[in-house]
Each structure stands twice: as C-alpha cells, then as structure tokens.
Amino acid sequence: MSSAGNPVILGIETSCDETAAAVLRGRTILSNVIASQTDIHREYGGVVPELASRHHLERIDAVIDLALGRAGTRLADLDAVAVTYGPGLVGPLLVGLQTAKAIAYVRKIPILGVNHLEGHLRSVFLEHPGVPFPAISLIASGGHTSLYLSPDEDRSVRLARTRDDASGEAFDKVAKLVGLGYPGGPVVDRLAKSGDRKAVPFSPPKMSDGSLDFSFSGFKTAALRHAKARGLERRFPAGEPDQETRDLLASFQSAVVEFMVKRVMTIARKEAARSICLSGGVACNSLLRARFSEAARARAMNVFFPALDLSTDNAAMIAAAGYHKLARGERAGVALTAHATFPLGA
Ligand code: KG4
Ligand code: ZN
C-alpha cells in the first residue's frame, strides 16, 4: 500500500510500437516492462499501425501483470493509473486508454491522461532530480524532434521543432534505403563505427527565415541521391553492408548529430541555459551522447541523458508525469480519448 506522499502509480504506454507498463512508488521506479514490436515491423521499414494495434491488444494484460509482479504489487495497491493519450497512433493509443479506464473504474482510482512528450521530458528529471534550471530539453525520437525551454521541472515552452521529418525518422528512412530494416537508428549507430564519417559530404539545412527550427529531410534526400549514384540501394534483408555503405551511414549520422549539437548549443547560449537534457530514442545514439557531452563541457554546461531503456518509449516516464498530475490534483474522466497530434508547450 502507498504511504501518504508516495502514491503507487501504474503507467501505461502504447502510442507506437512498444507495449509498456511500469509501477512507480512516488518517484521510485519499482518495475519497467517493455514489450517491443520491432521484430514485427522490421521488414516493413516502419511501424504498420494495424499490426501495432493488434499486438498491443494481445500483450497489454500480460505486460501489466508482469509490471505489477516485478514491483511486488497487486491491482489493489494502486493509487492511480497514468496513460498516454497522445500524440501517437490512434488505434494503439486506444488499447492503452481502454485498459487504463477499466482498471481505474474497477479499482475506483483516478485516471491521469499524459502527453507522451511530457513523458519524454520527465524521463530525464526522473533519473536526475538535481538538474540545474533553466534547462534546454531536446526530444529526438521517431515521431518528434522538438526543443523546449524548461524554467523548472513543471514548465516547458517549445522554442523549435522540425519542419519536416523527425530525426529518428531520417535514421529509419536511410536504413531502409540500404536494406537494413526498422528501427534504423540502432543499426546505423553500430555500422557507423566502422565507416568514414568524412567520406560523403552533407550540408546542413539553412532556414530562409532565419528560424532555429530543425529540418532532416535534406539529409535523407542527400543520402538517397548518393545511394542511387553509387548503386548502394538494397532491399531488406540486405545482410552485412559493404564499406561504401558504412561510409555513407557514418557520414549521414555525423552530419545529423553535428547539426543537432550546433542548433541546440546556439539556443542554449541564447537562453542562458544551465543544463541540456536529451530524451527520446535518438538520444540513445552513441555519437550524439559523446558530442553533446563534449560541447556542453566546453561551455561549462551540464548535460543529462536518461538510461537507454528510459530514452526510448517506456511507461515509467508516463507514470512519472502522472505522479506530478496527481500531486497537482489533476484528474481525467471517462471521456479521455486518443489524440493523433497533441503539441506540448507550443
Ligand atoms: O522514443 P522512441 O522509442 O519512439 C518515438 O516516440 O518515436 O524513438 C524511436 C526512434 C526510432 O526512429 C529509432 O530509429 C531511433 O529512435 N533510435 C536511434 C537509436 N536508437 C533508437 N536513433 C539513432 N541512434 C540510436 N542508437
Ligand atoms: Zn516517444
């Protein structure tokens, strides 16, 4: 059972291709279970929404049982249930929402609706409670690349976003182009280690209006043009790629990372930020972690990343956002529904 200041919260996350449930007591993670569907979507080069919905439905109950079991809790111990209600794929979101509503109804506990993006922001604060503010928070994932100014843990104002593809989407599309399947980020990260990052020239995008927004489609198009010209296009499963393909991947990854570092550091300086917080699947990238750490150290700023299993989609970050909502007295009703688009702090 919970003690007064430390409610036990079940988090549920089904916005894309991870079926996830987690239990938090206060801000402490008791369990964090993630059933990934990447094996199902790999050959399609991206997430197939209908397949995702069906697999969420098949797995959600078992994933919740496992999260409760690993936490040493039962449904009767829960003080609230927090669930992602957008942005994301509507079918998959509805599976999590209906499950959360059923638990809340049967147990007569509050249901807390969480914006997935707030979850990613919270993933950093959950693990690093001492982040010096103001902080610049970058969410870089398969669906989003947005940058926020966080004056404190509870407030975030969006300062920049991508004008076209998300950063993770660019990784996924370039991996698909050379037959490496979905998700592209981890495999590009691995193969880039044996490639020459200076082999293929990429130019960073320039915004004609001087905006500091992001753009990634130009990197993808340049990679496509190079792959066509050099005969590097492949169908999945391509097997281990040759040196020229590794060079292309290393050059692409380096160009994308350097663009992100430059843009984020420019904004961080302008806003006199004390910390840089990075979250979302792309924040797992090893070059990105190394380059942001170097850049922040050179400017005497702090840099924070969540652990790898809290960077990609997970339900601990959703329960963490729920914890703050519960403390503020926010409650959602049975009318809570899914939102495909759902900006945060815009
Ligand atoms: O946060 P996430 O799990 O889901 C979304 O909310 O989108 O992010 C998934 C994205 C995918 O595009 C995947 O390719 C990318 O994160 N990703 C990476 C790495 N690991 C995952 N991108 C670059 N390098 C990685 N190591
Ligand atoms: Zn996400």
Side-chain angles (χ1 to χ4, degrees):
M1 256 307 182
S2 70
S3 57
N6 283 323
V8 178
I9 302 180
L10 171 70
I12 298 176
E13 155 63 40
T14 60
S15 66
C16 191
D17 60 339
E18 319 283 2
T19 314
V23 179
L24 261 65
R25 184 189 300 278
R27 293 175 65 125
T28 306
I29 302 174
L30 300 183
S31 65
N32 187 25
V33 177
I34 304 167
S36 175
Q37 301 181 4
T38 49
D39 286 348
I40 293 148
H41 303 287
R42 179 158 289 125
E43 65 181 291
Y44 302 101
V47 178
V48 183
E50 288 75 13
L51 288 180
S53 302
R54 196 186 317 150
H55 282 88
H56 283 306
L57 202 54
E58 283 171 5
R59 293 172 180 186
I60 187 81
D61 290 344
V63 166
I64 290 173
D65 281 348
L66 197 56
L68 289 168
R70 284 189 184 164
T73 52
R74 295 163 303 141
L75 278 180
D77 297 323
L78 298 178
D79 293 302
V81 52
V83 61
T84 307
Y85 70 114
L89 301 169
V90 170
L93 283 167
L94 286 172
V95 176
L97 269 166
Q98 297 309 340
T99 309
K101 282 183 193 178
I103 293 172
Y105 179 76
V106 170
R107 296 304 320 158
K108 298 188 174 49
I109 53 175
I111 180 165
L112 310 159
V114 174
N115 182 316
H116 181 80
L117 300 172
E118 183 185 343
H120 276 303
L121 292 180
R122 293 276 184 200
S123 66
V124 183
F125 307 143
L126 180 60
E127 278 197 299
H128 306 285
V131 169
F133 290 99
I136 287 292
S137 297
L138 177 72
I139 303 176
S141 72
H144 310 275
T145 299
S146 296
L147 188 134
Y148 300 85
L149 173 66
S150 306
D152 55 47
E153 207 178 303
D154 291 320
R155 289 178 298 157
S156 294
V157 182
R158 195 176 71 191
L159 299 181
R161 64 190 168 89
T162 179
R163 293 271 177 101
D164 39 59
D165 291 348
S167 47
E169 196 179 349
F171 273 91
D172 295 337
K173 286 178 176 168
V174 169
K176 184 179 180 185
L177 177 71
V178 293
L180 296 171
Y182 173 85
V187 62
V188 172
D189 193 348
R190 177 174 64 80
L191 294 167
K193 289 187 170 60
S194 50
D196 174 3
R197 66 177 76 164
K198 296 208 168 67
V200 184
F202 280 89
S203 342
K206 285 193 189 63
M207 297 294 167
S208 52
D209 57 3
S211 142
L212 290 174
D213 275 347
F214 296 91
S215 166
F216 295 97
S217 68
F219 293 113
K220 177 195 66 188
T221 309
L224 172 66
R225 217 175 292 125
H226 181 84
K228 272 194 192 300
R230 303 291 313 160
L232 304 177
E233 286 176 285
R234 299 279 182 276
R235 273 183 193 285
F236 177 84
E240 278 301 294
D242 58 17
Q243 191 56 45
E244 218 183 328
T245 303
R246 289 167 195 262
D247 291 346
L248 169 63
L249 298 177
S251 303
F252 160 79
Q253 174 180 273
S254 173
V256 167
V257 166
E258 293 310 325
F259 166 63
M260 291 169 91
V261 169
K262 198 160 175 214
R263 190 125 302 190
V264 172
M265 295 316 289
T266 301
I267 298 176
R269 256 199 320 273
K270 212 164 131 223
E271 300 294 336
R274 296 175 65 203
S275 307
I276 312 279
C277 298
L278 298 132
S279 59
V282 180
C284 292
N285 186 271
S286 56
L287 181 68
L288 180 139
R289 286 189 175 226
R291 290 290 299 118
F292 265 105
S293 299
E294 282 169 23
R297 205 178 314 121
R299 291 167 185 80
M301 281 184 205
N302 306 283
V303 64
F304 298 96
F305 304 95
L308 297 184
D309 62 348
L310 291 179
S311 296
T312 47
D313 286 351
N314 67 87
M317 67 184 193
I318 303 304
Y323 166 78
H324 292 273
K325 287 187 187 300
L326 190 68
R328 287 197 299 268
E330 286 180 35
R331 306 284 186 272
V334 281
L336 187 67
T337 192
H339 294 266
T341 55
F342 191 0
L344 179 75

